[in-house]
Amino acid sequence: MVDDVLDRTIAPGYSSLGFAFRSRLWPDDDPPPDALVGATTVVTGANSGIGKAIAGSLAQLGATVVMAVRDEERGESARRELLAGQPDADLVVERCDVSGRAEVRDFVARIAARTPRIDAIVHNAGVMPPTRSQTRDGHELTLATHVLGPILMTELARPLLAAATSSRVVFMSSGGMYTQPLPRADPEYRLGRYRAATAYARTKRIQVALTPVLGERWSEDGCVVATMHPGWADTPGLAQSLPRFRTMTRAFLRNADQAADTAVWLTATSPPPPSGLFWHDRRSRPTHYRQATRFTEAQRDEVWRYCASAIGVTP
Ligand SMILES: NC(=O)c1ccc[n+]([C@@H]2O[C@H](COP(=O)([O-])OP(=O)(O)OC[C@H]3O[C@@H](n4cnc5c(N)ncnc54)[C@H](OP(=O)(O)O)[C@@H]3O)[C@@H](O)[C@H]2O)c1
């Protein structure tokens, strides 16, 4: 019950205090130290913040981790930093701008040429651009980064995920998505005044809304799909996007490892968690706290059809 209260009151639950309280609830629930030996995992945006922490923890559990980054130099530097603490970690840096269709296709082709199987993809890469911008493919940047690129990457990797015995796909959403309804009439944020936090939260809402649809779709490949939010963590991304918020809350922010915990657990826990749910601190959580954000199945399917057509897959 205290866990639920923490969730509803937001600030304490999302902070390091919430993590400290909840982690006492799962003393025996950590995946075993060899949980991912032999597994190949992909983490996007793995050169910084939460993604880097996820990469380090998955490697610690024995996985080969493909660090998918848009800047190879930053990726190599993150890899070196992780190796300094874990010299045996199996970390591979691969370039991939997840917001670009061609880049994502090229990335999956390179991975497929190297490995017959992917056990998990953690779609962690995230952005909050201050002004509205579009990718070369003509899509609004947060939509392309948080939704279109990750779905395309997973679609292309389906044969590789199907080759694993218990594959997982994890989307890193945000508690900010609770503030926004599904932008079904304007998924590309073409209308109205652009606000960075709104664009961010809308596309994080789309991730959560589509999770049951994708869970069902990719269940054919034996793949579990989960979306999660990490709470509030002190990362380079937060410092850049929300500097004032960071200054005010710094003493209570999670560190990147605490924010990464649920993604690592969802990837490595056995038996696999149920598919299609939204998670925070190793528990599934409600997807709405306000009536105003609710949507019908038909409205959700409309957004799904838009996204599928944008990346060229049959819904
Ligand atoms: N920190 C928080 O409190 C918080 C709260 C809720 C949700 N989240 C989510 O957690 C995830 C990680 O955020 P963070 O706080 O760790 O921020 P971060 O330090 O800025 O990390 C974001 C990562 O995503 C990468 N990235 C951005 N666009 C990309 C693209 N098109 N292709 C490939 N990589 C790309 C960045 O690469 P570059 O270094 O090249 O920019 C960076 O490595 C994000 O999805 C964020 O929305 C964070």
Side-chain angles (χ1 to χ4, degrees):
M1 198 183 103
V2 179
D3 185 9
D4 284 346
V5 171
L6 282 173
D7 216 41
R8 306 306 188 270
T9 50
I10 296 185
Y14 289 20
S15 71
S16 54
L17 303 177
F19 185 83
F21 170 79
R22 290 182 176 130
S23 54
R24 294 212 313 258
L25 302 176
W26 64 67
D28 303 320
D29 194 26
D30 283 347
D34 60 351
L36 295 176
V37 169
T40 297
T41 60
V42 173
V43 181
T44 68
N47 62 289
S48 171
I50 300 171
K52 183 177 160 202
I54 295 170
S57 294
L58 297 182
Q60 188 94 53
L61 293 172
T64 297
V65 182
V66 179
M67 301 170 69
V69 299
R70 61 180 166 177
D71 181 298
E72 274 171 298
E73 227 171 85
R74 284 200 290 272
E76 285 299 345
S77 148
R79 177 173 176 270
R80 277 195 300 277
E81 283 168 26
L82 289 170
L83 284 174
Q86 315 168 222
D88 296 335
D90 190 358
L91 300 161
V92 184
V93 173
E94 278 289 339
R95 188 177 40 75
C96 181
D97 178 338
V98 302
S99 70
R101 262 199 311 250
E103 288 253 11
V104 169
R105 283 186 182 282
D106 190 47
F107 169 76
V108 178
R110 273 182 278 130
I111 300 296
R114 264 216 325 255
T115 176
R117 191 183 97 210
I118 294 179
D119 295 84
I121 304 178
V122 182
H123 293 297
N124 163 82
V127 279
M128 194 191 286
T131 53
R132 184 181 184 282
S133 53
Q134 287 195 174
T135 63
R136 254 184 304 201
D137 305 319
H139 297 294
E140 189 279 318
L141 185 60
T142 62
L143 182 72
T145 307
H146 301 152
V147 179
L148 302 180
I151 297 177
L152 177 62
M153 185 187 291
T154 313
E155 280 288 319
L156 296 170
R158 280 180 74 171
L160 300 177
L161 289 161
T165 37
S166 171
S167 61
R168 322 272 163 100
V169 171
V170 179
F171 289 85
M172 185 64 72
S173 182
S174 162
M177 72 93 200
Y178 280 118
T179 63
Q180 290 297 316
L182 198 59
R184 69 188 175 87
D186 185 22
E188 302 272 3
Y189 209 151
R190 295 187 204 281
L191 309 172
R193 187 164 73 91
Y194 175 89
R195 292 184 61 242
T198 304
Y200 175 85
R202 281 181 180 179
T203 52
K204 296 290 187 179
R205 163 64 76 188
I206 297 177
Q207 290 181 321
V208 176
L210 296 188
T211 295
V213 178
L214 298 173
E216 176 132 5
R217 181 176 177 91
W218 296 330
S219 67
E220 280 174 35
D221 310 312
C223 182
V224 164
V225 183
T227 306
M228 60 160 289
H229 84 84
W232 292 324
D234 194 4
T235 61
L238 188 84
Q240 197 191 346
S241 306
L242 301 171
R244 278 206 302 179
F245 174 77
R246 176 179 181 246
T247 307
M248 280 163 18
T249 58
R250 201 164 170 189
F252 301 101
L253 292 175
R254 296 176 177 213
N255 62 36
D257 286 317
Q258 293 169 334
D261 175 82
T262 295
V264 175
W265 179 82
L266 286 165
T267 302
T269 196
S270 183
S275 193
L277 300 179
F278 178 55
W279 300 81
H280 175 56
D281 284 346
R282 302 191 188 189
R283 298 282 181 273
S284 68
R285 306 286 171 180
T287 53
H288 300 274
Y289 287 134
R290 297 165 50 220
Q291 195 56 33
T293 65
R294 291 187 185 276
F295 47 83
T296 64
E297 250 179 58
Q299 291 167 338
R300 183 195 61 193
D301 291 347
E302 196 181 329
V303 173
W304 165 230
R305 281 195 300 275
Y306 179 83
C307 294
S309 130
I311 58 172
V313 302
T314 311

mmCIF file of all heavy atoms in Angstrom, residues 83-107:
data_model
loop_
_atom_site.group_PDB
_atom_site.id
_atom_site.type_symbol
_atom_site.label_atom_id
_atom_site.label_comp_id
_atom_site.label_asym_id
_atom_site.label_seq_id
_atom_site.Cartn_x
_atom_site.Cartn_y
_atom_site.Cartn_z
ATOM 1 N N LEU A 83 34.495 -0.285 -19.056
ATOM 2 C CA LEU A 83 35.528 -1.332 -18.967
ATOM 3 C C LEU A 83 36.505 -1.079 -17.817
ATOM 4 O O LEU A 83 37.050 -2.025 -17.240
ATOM 5 C CB LEU A 83 36.297 -1.427 -20.285
ATOM 6 C CG LEU A 83 35.562 -2.128 -21.434
ATOM 7 C CD1 LEU A 83 36.374 -2.023 -22.720
ATOM 8 C CD2 LEU A 83 35.272 -3.594 -21.100
ATOM 9 N N ALA A 84 36.679 0.192 -17.458
ATOM 10 C CA ALA A 84 37.588 0.502 -16.347
ATOM 11 C C ALA A 84 37.071 -0.150 -15.060
ATOM 12 O O ALA A 84 37.853 -0.605 -14.225
ATOM 13 C CB ALA A 84 37.703 1.999 -16.175
ATOM 14 N N GLY A 85 35.742 -0.222 -14.916
ATOM 15 C CA GLY A 85 35.162 -0.842 -13.718
ATOM 16 C C GLY A 85 34.907 -2.331 -13.887
ATOM 17 O O GLY A 85 34.788 -3.065 -12.902
ATOM 18 N N GLN A 86 34.745 -2.788 -15.143
ATOM 19 C CA GLN A 86 34.438 -4.204 -15.413
ATOM 20 C C GLN A 86 35.276 -4.654 -16.610
ATOM 21 O O GLN A 86 34.767 -4.714 -17.735
ATOM 22 C CB GLN A 86 32.964 -4.403 -15.806
ATOM 23 C CG GLN A 86 31.937 -3.693 -15.008
ATOM 24 C CD GLN A 86 30.560 -3.742 -15.702
ATOM 25 O OE1 GLN A 86 29.858 -2.757 -15.726
ATOM 26 N NE2 GLN A 86 30.160 -4.867 -16.269
ATOM 27 N N PRO A 87 36.551 -4.974 -16.387
ATOM 28 C CA PRO A 87 37.445 -5.270 -17.523
ATOM 29 C C PRO A 87 36.969 -6.439 -18.388
ATOM 30 O O PRO A 87 37.308 -6.504 -19.572
ATOM 31 C CB PRO A 87 38.774 -5.622 -16.843
ATOM 32 C CG PRO A 87 38.653 -5.157 -15.433
ATOM 33 C CD PRO A 87 37.208 -5.047 -15.089
ATOM 34 N N ASP A 88 36.168 -7.346 -17.838
ATOM 35 C CA ASP A 88 35.728 -8.500 -18.634
ATOM 36 C C ASP A 88 34.438 -8.250 -19.402
ATOM 37 O O ASP A 88 33.947 -9.153 -20.102
ATOM 38 C CB ASP A 88 35.504 -9.718 -17.714
ATOM 39 C CG ASP A 88 36.807 -10.150 -17.071
ATOM 40 O OD1 ASP A 88 37.865 -9.862 -17.666
ATOM 41 O OD2 ASP A 88 36.746 -10.744 -15.965
ATOM 42 N N ALA A 89 33.867 -7.072 -19.256
ATOM 43 C CA ALA A 89 32.567 -6.810 -19.896
ATOM 44 C C ALA A 89 32.681 -6.930 -21.411
ATOM 45 O O ALA A 89 33.664 -6.501 -22.007
ATOM 46 C CB ALA A 89 32.079 -5.413 -19.516
ATOM 47 N N ASP A 90 31.646 -7.522 -22.024
ATOM 48 C CA ASP A 90 31.633 -7.709 -23.470
ATOM 49 C C ASP A 90 30.760 -6.611 -24.080
ATOM 50 O O ASP A 90 29.541 -6.759 -24.211
ATOM 51 C CB ASP A 90 31.075 -9.114 -23.778
ATOM 52 C CG ASP A 90 31.247 -9.477 -25.237
ATOM 53 O OD1 ASP A 90 31.757 -8.640 -26.011
ATOM 54 O OD2 ASP A 90 30.854 -10.600 -25.605
ATOM 55 N N LEU A 91 31.394 -5.497 -24.421
ATOM 56 C CA LEU A 91 30.673 -4.307 -24.892
ATOM 57 C C LEU A 91 31.118 -3.956 -26.301
ATOM 58 O O LEU A 91 32.319 -3.869 -26.569
ATOM 59 C CB LEU A 91 30.984 -3.118 -23.972
ATOM 60 C CG LEU A 91 30.604 -3.275 -22.496
ATOM 61 C CD1 LEU A 91 31.363 -2.269 -21.639
ATOM 62 C CD2 LEU A 91 29.102 -3.088 -22.316
ATOM 63 N N VAL A 92 30.161 -3.766 -27.192
ATOM 64 C CA VAL A 92 30.476 -3.451 -28.585
ATOM 65 C C VAL A 92 29.763 -2.147 -28.937
ATOM 66 O O VAL A 92 28.564 -2.023 -28.690
ATOM 67 C CB VAL A 92 29.917 -4.563 -29.516
ATOM 68 C CG1 VAL A 92 30.309 -4.300 -30.963
ATOM 69 C CG2 VAL A 92 30.344 -5.932 -29.060
ATOM 70 N N VAL A 93 30.493 -1.193 -29.497
ATOM 71 C CA VAL A 93 29.866 0.079 -29.878
ATOM 72 C C VAL A 93 29.454 0.017 -31.347
ATOM 73 O O VAL A 93 30.251 -0.364 -32.200
ATOM 74 C CB VAL A 93 30.842 1.255 -29.644
ATOM 75 C CG1 VAL A 93 30.271 2.564 -30.191
ATOM 76 C CG2 VAL A 93 31.152 1.386 -28.157
ATOM 77 N N GLU A 94 28.206 0.379 -31.626
ATOM 78 C CA GLU A 94 27.718 0.415 -33.015
ATOM 79 C C GLU A 94 26.981 1.721 -33.245
ATOM 80 O O GLU A 94 26.138 2.107 -32.425
ATOM 81 C CB GLU A 94 26.728 -0.736 -33.270
ATOM 82 C CG GLU A 94 27.348 -2.059 -33.581
ATOM 83 C CD GLU A 94 28.017 -2.132 -34.951
ATOM 84 O OE1 GLU A 94 27.697 -1.317 -35.844
ATOM 85 O OE2 GLU A 94 28.865 -3.013 -35.119
ATOM 86 N N ARG A 95 27.265 2.350 -34.362
ATOM 87 C CA ARG A 95 26.578 3.605 -34.671
ATOM 88 C C ARG A 95 25.128 3.352 -35.081
ATOM 89 O O ARG A 95 24.844 2.468 -35.887
ATOM 90 C CB ARG A 95 27.324 4.307 -35.819
ATOM 91 C CG ARG A 95 26.859 5.704 -36.130
ATOM 92 C CD ARG A 95 27.714 6.316 -37.240
ATOM 93 N NE ARG A 95 28.039 5.349 -38.287
ATOM 94 C CZ ARG A 95 27.210 4.921 -39.206
ATOM 95 N NH1 ARG A 95 25.967 5.363 -39.240
ATOM 96 N NH2 ARG A 95 27.592 4.046 -40.111
ATOM 97 N N CYS A 96 24.227 4.119 -34.494
ATOM 98 C CA CYS A 96 22.826 4.077 -34.933
ATOM 99 C C CYS A 96 22.100 5.320 -34.442
ATOM 100 O O CYS A 96 21.945 5.519 -33.232
ATOM 101 C CB CYS A 96 22.115 2.830 -34.391
ATOM 102 S SG CYS A 96 20.393 2.744 -34.937
ATOM 103 N N ASP A 97 21.679 6.148 -35.365
ATOM 104 C CA ASP A 97 20.777 7.241 -35.013
ATOM 105 C C ASP A 97 19.375 6.645 -35.116
ATOM 106 O O ASP A 97 18.890 6.383 -36.212
ATOM 107 C CB ASP A 97 20.968 8.408 -35.995
ATOM 108 C CG ASP A 97 20.008 9.547 -35.693
ATOM 109 O OD1 ASP A 97 18.963 9.320 -35.046
ATOM 110 O OD2 ASP A 97 20.310 10.687 -36.107
ATOM 111 N N VAL A 98 18.738 6.425 -33.979
ATOM 112 C CA VAL A 98 17.474 5.685 -34.000
ATOM 113 C C VAL A 98 16.333 6.487 -34.620
ATOM 114 O O VAL A 98 15.263 5.933 -34.883
ATOM 115 C CB VAL A 98 17.054 5.194 -32.588
ATOM 116 C CG1 VAL A 98 18.116 4.320 -31.971
ATOM 117 C CG2 VAL A 98 16.699 6.360 -31.667
ATOM 118 N N SER A 99 16.562 7.788 -34.865
ATOM 119 C CA SER A 99 15.471 8.584 -35.434
ATOM 120 C C SER A 99 15.413 8.485 -36.960
ATOM 121 O O SER A 99 14.480 8.995 -37.572
ATOM 122 C CB SER A 99 15.621 10.056 -35.024
ATOM 123 O OG SER A 99 16.743 10.635 -35.675
ATOM 124 N N GLY A 100 16.401 7.802 -37.565
ATOM 125 C CA GLY A 100 16.443 7.757 -39.034
ATOM 126 C C GLY A 100 16.160 6.368 -39.574
ATOM 127 O O GLY A 100 16.761 5.393 -39.141
ATOM 128 N N ARG A 101 15.240 6.307 -40.534
ATOM 129 C CA ARG A 101 14.857 4.994 -41.100
ATOM 130 C C ARG A 101 16.051 4.261 -41.693
ATOM 131 O O ARG A 101 16.285 3.088 -41.398
ATOM 132 C CB ARG A 101 13.807 5.201 -42.192
ATOM 133 C CG ARG A 101 12.399 4.965 -41.706
ATOM 134 C CD ARG A 101 11.439 4.707 -42.840
ATOM 135 N NE ARG A 101 11.514 5.667 -43.921
ATOM 136 C CZ ARG A 101 10.579 6.573 -44.206
ATOM 137 N NH1 ARG A 101 9.491 6.656 -43.466
ATOM 138 N NH2 ARG A 101 10.721 7.391 -45.210
ATOM 139 N N ALA A 102 16.826 4.962 -42.526
ATOM 140 C CA ALA A 102 17.946 4.305 -43.210
ATOM 141 C C ALA A 102 18.991 3.849 -42.197
ATOM 142 O O ALA A 102 19.558 2.754 -42.304
ATOM 143 C CB ALA A 102 18.562 5.252 -44.229
ATOM 144 N N GLU A 103 19.253 4.697 -41.188
ATOM 145 C CA GLU A 103 20.255 4.361 -40.153
ATOM 146 C C GLU A 103 19.842 3.104 -39.396
ATOM 147 O O GLU A 103 20.659 2.247 -39.088
ATOM 148 C CB GLU A 103 20.371 5.519 -39.156
ATOM 149 C CG GLU A 103 21.054 6.727 -39.710
ATOM 150 C CD GLU A 103 22.449 6.865 -39.117
ATOM 151 O OE1 GLU A 103 22.914 5.916 -38.472
ATOM 152 O OE2 GLU A 103 23.048 7.933 -39.330
ATOM 153 N N VAL A 104 18.548 3.025 -39.085
ATOM 154 C CA VAL A 104 18.059 1.879 -38.314
ATOM 155 C C VAL A 104 18.160 0.603 -39.159
ATOM 156 O O VAL A 104 18.605 -0.448 -38.690
ATOM 157 C CB VAL A 104 16.608 2.125 -37.829
ATOM 158 C CG1 VAL A 104 15.984 0.849 -37.264
ATOM 159 C CG2 VAL A 104 16.584 3.233 -36.777
ATOM 160 N N ARG A 105 17.787 0.724 -40.421
ATOM 161 C CA ARG A 105 17.883 -0.447 -41.325
ATOM 162 C C ARG A 105 19.325 -0.935 -41.417
ATOM 163 O O ARG A 105 19.615 -2.123 -41.324
ATOM 164 C CB ARG A 105 17.403 -0.080 -42.740
ATOM 165 C CG ARG A 105 15.916 -0.011 -42.856
ATOM 166 C CD ARG A 105 15.444 0.202 -44.295
ATOM 167 N NE ARG A 105 13.998 0.309 -44.273
ATOM 168 C CZ ARG A 105 13.178 -0.726 -44.160
ATOM 169 N NH1 ARG A 105 13.671 -1.950 -44.135
ATOM 170 N NH2 ARG A 105 11.876 -0.563 -44.100
ATOM 171 N N ASP A 106 20.213 0.024 -41.602
ATOM 172 C CA ASP A 106 21.627 -0.303 -41.743
ATOM 173 C C ASP A 106 22.152 -0.957 -40.461
ATOM 174 O O ASP A 106 22.896 -1.945 -40.501
ATOM 175 C CB ASP A 106 22.361 1.019 -42.040
ATOM 176 C CG ASP A 106 23.776 0.779 -42.446
ATOM 177 O OD1 ASP A 106 23.976 -0.089 -43.291
ATOM 178 O OD2 ASP A 106 24.678 1.451 -41.898
ATOM 179 N N PHE A 107 21.745 -0.413 -39.329
ATOM 180 C CA PHE A 107 22.182 -0.950 -38.032
ATOM 181 C C PHE A 107 21.740 -2.411 -37.880
ATOM 182 O O PHE A 107 22.550 -3.294 -37.559
ATOM 183 C CB PHE A 107 21.595 -0.090 -36.903
ATOM 184 C CG PHE A 107 21.752 -0.682 -35.530
ATOM 185 C CD1 PHE A 107 22.983 -0.639 -34.877
ATOM 186 C CD2 PHE A 107 20.682 -1.282 -34.879
ATOM 187 C CE1 PHE A 107 23.141 -1.194 -33.604
ATOM 188 C CE2 PHE A 107 20.825 -1.836 -33.611
ATOM 189 C CZ PHE A 107 22.059 -1.794 -32.977
#
